[in-house]
Amino acid sequence: MSAKKRIRIAFGLAAVGALTIGLAACSTGDSGGDGGDGGSDEITTVGFVAVGPEGAWREANEQNIQDTFTEEAGYDLKYAPATNLDQKSQIDAFTSFVDEGVDVILLSATEASGWEDSLKRAQEAEIPVILLDRGIEPDDDSLYVTRIAPDNVEVAKEVGTWAAATFPDGGNYVVLEGPAGVGVVNERNTGFDEGLGGSSLEKLDAQTANWSAEEGKSVFETMLKASNNDIQLVFAQNDEMGLGAAQAAEEAGLVVGEDVKIATIDGTKNAMQALADGQLSYVHEYNPLFGETALEVVEKALAGEDVESYIVVPSEAFDSAEAAQAVLADRKY
Ligand code: AHR
């Protein structure tokens, strides 16, 4: 992630620098949008180049965006999910939005690289682009207004710090990664390694399980067989892969929490329930509910106001069954 200045949003509050962004109570949907240009009732057209079906996190994030940019709020949101996570379908949708002359484009990229030409076309057409969740590589932040996401490096660093503290005498660990080419995968590996610091934990293997519970289970089954079950920690880069690993551990006769610990990122309901039930050991939220923030940024961008190049969405860590139980009832995703 660019080392550029980032601002942290205080929940529900705060003015930061020249910019005031309140991350209202997540996904309240009662957006303050006023049609994007401060008071007139004209409709602002938003092209949303989205990922589409991918898992519980993605569903929550994209639904929150659609629930926020409503007609009542003064927006015409054109939702364009990728076809089978294919980047070409995203680039085609992006190009169509530029040709159509939408007012602003929201982009959640399936692949980190390959966006320069599209972003330059939008810039020539004076259409602001806001990155949601996923970054681009190389990270040329002159090509977009801002990126809105939790900080993957910091989130994963907290997972690594927890792992190092949990295994002071070391042990063997494996990583279940998201798909190759997705920017957050590299950011999470970087953060986890930073958090591990001088830990004597040994990495036995790292493989993609493509964000999927089914693949997380099959990949971890193979890893267990290859190591004769001698794995004490799994860092799963999202909840679904961690839940799949938990199934594999159970079928191998291992007890999660005793024989092996499983840490995941996202904080979706199923993972929080699994943490409460002892089937996961640590879950770091990667808060998907930033639609209100995205709407406020769109309004600032269309009003020509300054916006920081990275807007970090705060996300909490949950390291015990009790911590998960405390939030389960009110969980919004
Ligand atoms: O980019 C965010 C990641 O994409 C989430 O952690 C994962 O669940 C989603 O598929």
Side-chain angles (χ1 to χ4, degrees):
M1 176 192 317
S2 152
K4 299 215 20 123
K5 191 176 164 202
R6 299 189 287 265
I7 62 168
R8 182 167 294 281
I9 306 156
F11 268 101
L13 289 177
V16 179
L19 185 60
T20 300
I21 287 186
L23 185 64
C26 294
S27 76
T28 55
D30 62 346
S31 69
D34 56 13
D37 63 1
S40 82
D41 54 8
E42 70 184 40
I43 289 286
T44 300
T45 55
V46 180
F48 182 15
V49 180
V51 170
E54 191 184 48
W57 187 93
R58 186 64 55 194
E59 184 181 344
N61 175 257
E62 295 191 353
Q63 190 56 56
N64 182 240
I65 295 295
Q66 294 173 80
D67 291 348
T68 304
F69 286 87
T70 59
E71 197 174 329
E72 296 72 29
Y75 293 90
D76 171 16
L77 183 82
K78 300 169 184 293
Y79 175 62
T83 307
N84 300 321
L85 304 176
D86 169 53
Q87 181 182 36
K88 185 184 179 307
S89 66
Q90 286 201 311
I91 291 174
D92 291 347
F94 191 104
T95 302
S96 300
F97 286 142
V98 173
D99 293 344
E100 186 184 328
V102 297
D103 295 310
V104 62
I105 293 175
L106 305 178
L107 170 62
S108 294
T110 55
E111 303 273 346
S113 58
W115 286 101
E116 293 87 345
D117 292 346
S118 301
L119 292 169
K120 283 174 183 164
R121 280 204 60 198
Q123 202 165 56
E124 286 156 13
E126 297 183 342
I127 298 174
V129 176
I130 292 162
L131 305 183
L132 301 184
D133 166 29
R134 301 275 178 79
I136 57 170
E137 291 167 7
D139 181 20
D140 178 354
D141 60 19
S142 69
L143 295 176
Y144 58 87
V145 172
T146 189
R147 176 183 178 190
I148 304 173
D151 184 333
N152 283 283
V153 174
E154 285 306 314
V155 165
K157 186 173 178 180
E158 289 181 29
V159 183
T161 303
W162 167 84
T166 305
F167 293 93
D169 301 324
N172 295 327
Y173 76 94
V174 294
V175 184
L176 298 176
E177 297 178 338
V182 173
V184 302
V185 172
N186 303 332
E187 293 169 343
R188 291 177 185 180
N189 280 326
T190 300
F192 184 74
D193 292 347
E194 282 179 14
L196 281 183
S199 163
S200 48
L201 278 163
E202 289 286 326
K203 185 194 290 191
L204 289 191
D205 198 358
Q207 286 188 42
T208 183
N210 292 304
W211 302 133
S212 136
E214 187 181 347
E215 287 195 44
K217 181 179 180 222
S218 61
V219 169
F220 189 47
E221 276 169 355
T222 305
M223 290 171 162
L224 285 170
K225 287 183 181 127
S227 64
N228 196 25
N229 288 356
D230 187 17
I231 296 172
Q232 287 73 49
L233 170 67
V234 179
F235 169 36
Q237 291 192 346
N238 89 327
D239 290 343
E240 278 89 350
M241 297 188 292
L243 292 167
Q247 288 177 339
E250 188 181 342
E251 290 180 11
L254 302 176
V255 177
V256 174
E258 292 174 24
D259 304 314
V260 61
K261 294 189 190 299
I262 302 175
T264 76
I265 292 176
D266 278 345
T268 54
K269 272 196 184 107
N270 288 345
M272 299 302 281
Q273 185 64 61
L275 178 60
D277 297 342
Q279 289 152 0
L280 291 177
S281 313
Y282 177 98
V283 177
H284 202 302
E285 187 178 62
Y286 181 77
N287 187 349
L289 306 180
F290 48 76
E292 286 291 312
T293 302
L295 187 142
E296 296 210 26
V297 167
V298 162
E299 292 188 356
K300 301 285 181 198
L302 293 178
E305 296 189 28
D306 285 346
V307 178
E308 293 296 326
S309 65
Y310 194 98
I311 297 174
V312 176
V313 178
S315 296
E316 286 185 70
F318 298 87
D319 62 2
S320 68
E322 294 72 22
Q325 281 291 7
V327 299
L328 257 178
D330 299 332
R331 199 106 192 110
K332 291 184 172 60
Y333 74 98

